[in-house]
């Protein structure tokens, strides 16, 4: 029997995820996700309503499966992405972490990401909320789903997975 998800375990995983993406340790970052990860940033239908179905509605980002995230990371590292040459400097601040349903691994958190785009000599700040589903994995917990609710979705330039 697996122990219930604790606040400390959730917090440590979310902090580790932020550090790994901030420092460009993408292989380690990818290892935090289950093979069938759902990584989703929905759009806003209007000022107060998010899209609800990534299969039928427009999404800002939607990847189903770690293989698709691996492809995105390959593009970031290869310079094939306009958002990656040179890579932006980013730092994620994670706060208000709450285990909302320990039995089902549900976790919510607030985030702010500060990004310095070297190419454009520009600083941007993105903020919002994360909704996770964490599952037991070898040696701890893994991320089975991540929903990114971007609250300031007027995006001034290209944004990629390392800036949200």
């Amino acid at each position: 029997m697996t122990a219930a998800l604790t606040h400390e375990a959730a917090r440590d995983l979310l902090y580790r995820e932020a550090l790994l993406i901030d420092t460009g340790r993408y292989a380690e970052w990818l290892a935090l996700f289950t093979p069938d990860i759902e990584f989703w940033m929905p759009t806003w239908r209007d000022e107060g309503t998010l899209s609800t179905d990534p299969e039928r509605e427009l999404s800002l980002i939607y990847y189903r499966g770690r293989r698709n995230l691996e492809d995105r990371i390959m593009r970031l590292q290869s310079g094939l992405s306009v958002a990656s040459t040179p890579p932006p400097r980013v730092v994620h601040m994670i706060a208000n972490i709450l285990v909302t349903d320990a039995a089902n691994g549900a976790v919510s958190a607030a985030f702010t990401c500060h990004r310095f785009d070297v190419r454009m000599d520009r600083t941007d700040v993105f903020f919002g909320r994360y909704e996770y589903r964490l599952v037991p994995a070898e040696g701890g917990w893994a991320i089975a789903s991540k929903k990114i609710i971007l609250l300031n979705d007027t995006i001034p330039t290209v944004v990629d997975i390392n800036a949200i």
Side-chain angles (χ1 to χ4, degrees):
M1 181 166 188
T2 305
L5 178 64
T6 65
H7 178 267
E8 292 77 17
R11 179 200 64 212
D12 290 352
L13 181 57
L14 273 57
Y15 285 175
R16 177 173 305 287
E17 181 197 13
L19 176 65
L20 294 174
I21 198 83
D22 288 350
T23 56
R25 292 158 52 194
Y26 297 123
E28 292 173 74
W29 179 75
L30 286 166
L32 298 177
F33 298 101
T34 62
D36 61 346
I37 176 71
E38 182 177 68
F39 190 96
W40 180 37
M41 187 163 65
T43 57
W44 289 92
R45 287 187 192 152
D46 54 44
E47 293 304 313
T49 310
L50 285 169
S51 61
T52 58
D53 186 349
E55 300 286 344
R56 295 181 186 198
E57 297 177 280
L58 185 65
S59 296
L60 295 172
I61 295 174
Y62 183 64
Y63 293 113
R64 185 169 260 315
R66 188 168 56 205
R67 178 67 188 104
N68 293 312
L69 276 178
E70 290 167 353
D71 181 63
R72 183 73 229 147
I73 293 300
M74 183 278 301
R75 290 177 183 276
L76 280 173
Q77 292 179 311
S78 70
L80 296 175
S81 169
V82 109
S84 67
T85 310
R89 300 176 197 151
V90 296
V91 66
H92 288 77
M93 303 301 293
I94 312 297
N96 301 341
I97 299 167
L98 181 65
V99 175
T100 56
D101 183 349
N104 292 308
V107 177
S108 70
F111 77 90
T112 303
C113 180
H114 297 263
R115 175 184 73 171
F116 177 65
D117 187 331
V118 177
R119 175 177 45 96
M120 297 181 70
D121 191 29
R122 169 189 190 134
T123 300
D124 297 302
V125 177
F126 300 103
F127 59 89
R129 289 187 307 276
Y130 293 140
E131 295 176 2
Y132 289 91
R133 187 170 58 82
L134 307 181
V135 295
E138 187 177 324
W141 295 86
I143 302 168
S145 70
K146 180 177 182 178
K147 181 178 176 183
I148 302 137
I149 302 167
L150 186 62
L151 296 176
N152 63 326
D153 65 323
T154 303
I155 301 169
T157 183
V158 177
V159 67
D160 212 324
I161 60 174
N162 55 353
I164 42 88

